[in-house]
Amino acid sequence: MSPATVVTRFAPSPTGLLHLGHAYSALWAWQAAREAGGRFLLRLEDIDATRCRPEYATAILEDLAWLGLDWDGPVRVQSEHWAEYRAALDRLAMRGLLYPCFCTRAEIQREVAMAGHAPHGPDGPLYPGTCRRLSAEVRAARQAAGEPFALRLDMAAALAAVPPALFFEERGEGQIRCDPAQFGDPVLARKEVPGSYHLCVTHDDALQGVTLVTRGEDLKPATHLHRLLQALLGWPAPAYAHHALLRDASGRRLAKRDGAPTLRALREAGRSPEEVRAMVSQAGTGVS
Ligand code: GLU
């Protein structure tokens, strides 16, 4: 692979059937790679065992193949790689950048409500920092007692460990200055598994040599945090191209819960892959 090879990826979570919005995103990434003579990767982001289902994973592969998309190399399945994510967490923990958080969702909500005003970040209200202030003894005792805990990034410590100004490259916009602090202390490992969306996606994009991350603009804020993780862990910084989201006739974002047509339903209704691709590119007209 030459250093200039473009590598893109489509990284759905198998929590349901693909709809037209997914098809748009997948085609975007696939085209960007194919037009550049590059590589297009497929990754299943299935770390949330409560929401992901193997039958949806199978359906995603089938639906993409039906649509005429081909991918290079094996499909990476995140839930098969916990040891790799754990190793990345260990590197951060060794530098004192993580702390265990024992809080439940309800406890956090209560704290936030009590504070009166809750600054909001891209993932919701910012964590009030309760467990950051626990003593080493209390942490050790609660861990020893078997209390479940997540791992959070200590944002202040993390920011002190990287250059004062970080940037990511957004295609068509140029260098964007990162503001990772808007996330507060984000969760990098959930209570159930040694990983979180932010950690695993950034890890895998680096590991798989992705050079151009294409995804919906709803995930653009997350890039501020991903760039910080790259800087902390010495991972390369890919370029980014966030695309507009497909909307229905009333301007609402296509979503499964609103009954956006699935590729499966369109196929069963007799639509051909060519027709569906045309529908996607038509719906995508006017979105940048
Ligand atoms: N797995 C994420 C999702 O399905 C997308 C991850 C990404 O493209 O960064 O929303």
Side-chain angles (χ1 to χ4, degrees):
M1 198 167 83
S2 86
T5 302
V6 171
V7 182
T8 68
R9 51 46 165 204
F10 178 53
S13 298
T15 57
L17 293 171
L18 297 183
H19 56 63
L20 283 181
H22 295 114
Y24 179 64
S25 201
L27 277 161
W28 227 86
W30 179 80
Q31 250 158 20
R34 293 290 173 253
E35 278 167 10
R39 290 163 52 78
F40 169 68
L41 311 178
L42 180 59
R43 183 165 75 226
L44 294 175
E45 302 206 326
D46 62 342
I47 62 169
D48 186 344
T50 59
R51 295 177 61 231
C52 296
R53 301 256 161 80
E55 57 269 30
Y56 291 136
T58 310
I60 286 173
L61 306 193
E62 278 173 17
D63 289 350
L64 291 176
W66 174 78
L67 203 56
L69 300 198
D70 57 342
W71 50 89
D72 298 299
V75 177
R76 181 173 170 91
V77 179
Q78 286 191 327
S79 62
E80 295 170 0
H81 298 280
W82 295 123
E84 292 166 47
Y85 307 129
R86 199 185 295 274
L89 290 166
D90 286 347
R91 288 177 55 204
L92 295 170
M94 262 164 26
R95 292 157 69 191
L97 300 178
L98 301 182
Y99 63 87
C101 174
F102 303 93
C103 294
T104 62
R105 236 173 247 266
E107 282 167 345
I108 296 174
Q109 268 165 10
R110 223 172 304 134
E111 281 261 348
V112 163
M114 259 161 40
H117 71 293
H120 264 64
D123 291 344
L126 297 195
Y127 178 62
T130 324
C131 287
R132 191 190 332 110
R133 293 184 281 272
L134 295 180
S135 67
E137 292 74 29
V138 170
R139 274 180 196 164
R142 290 178 75 168
Q143 280 179 259
E147 241 190 276
F149 60 90
L151 290 174
R152 289 185 181 272
L153 183 69
D154 182 333
M155 182 57 75
L159 289 175
V162 298
L166 290 175
F167 296 85
F168 67 89
E169 185 198 332
E170 176 72 23
R171 285 286 157 87
E173 283 181 47
Q175 298 292 323
I176 295 185
R177 182 157 182 178
C178 296
D179 173 23
Q182 64 184 307
F183 282 86
D185 289 353
V187 169
L188 293 191
R190 300 154 64 121
K191 281 184 178 164
E192 326 72 54
V193 290
S196 70
Y197 161 65
H198 296 301
L199 180 84
C200 299
V201 77
T202 313
H203 173 278
D204 286 357
D205 285 337
L207 178 86
Q208 297 189 283
V210 172
T211 64
L212 177 64
V213 173
T214 66
R215 59 186 174 199
E217 65 188 3
D218 54 327
L219 287 171
K220 194 170 178 184
T223 307
H224 292 255
L225 174 56
H226 299 176
R227 183 69 195 91
L228 172 64
L229 296 178
Q230 288 154 2
L232 289 171
L233 288 155
W235 293 335
Y240 290 83
H242 293 93
H243 58 74
L245 299 170
L246 276 201
R247 295 183 185 275
D248 64 16
S250 61
R252 271 194 328 183
R253 174 184 165 187
L254 289 189
K256 194 175 59 167
R257 62 179 172 278
D258 300 324
T262 63
L263 300 185
R264 188 87 11 156
L266 292 165
R267 174 170 141 196
E268 281 163 8
R271 302 298 189 113
S272 70
E274 293 71 32
E275 280 174 302
V276 171
R277 284 166 76 139
M279 283 165 76
V280 169
S281 62
Q282 226 165 28
T285 323
V287 300
S288 57

